[in-house]
Amino acid sequence: MDEAFSALDTALKNDLHHRIINYIHKNKAYGILVTHDINEACTIADSIYEMKGSPARLNLLHTFQTQPKQRNDKMIQKFITTIREKIINKNKSKFS
């Protein structure tokens, strides 16, 4: 899915996040979600990749040790901070 939730209001977006998490968990399914929303990625994903460059390359930013159903808001905020720091530090070293 490419930016599947970008035009939705918060309540509907959160409802769909939970439905997707439950579906994936129940059916042992896999999927790829393209998003610019780090919070969304940390809520749904098992792993987060960054896509950069031309031609595009994937770089693993983070692999979660917990399943999405086990995450609470505090854990998600910690993940968001960690991932943002990785992106910022990578960009700093690129321009140093």
Side-chain angles (χ1 to χ4, degrees), residues 51-57 94:
M51 189 166 72
K52 276 189 152 187
S54 181
R57 297 178 193 270
K94 185 177 178 180

Side-chain angles (χ1 to χ4, degrees), residues 39-56:
N39 186 35
E40 186 170 83
C42 290
T43 301
I44 297 176
D46 292 323
S47 299
I48 295 179
Y49 290 82
E50 173 185 46
M51 189 166 72
K52 276 189 152 187
S54 181

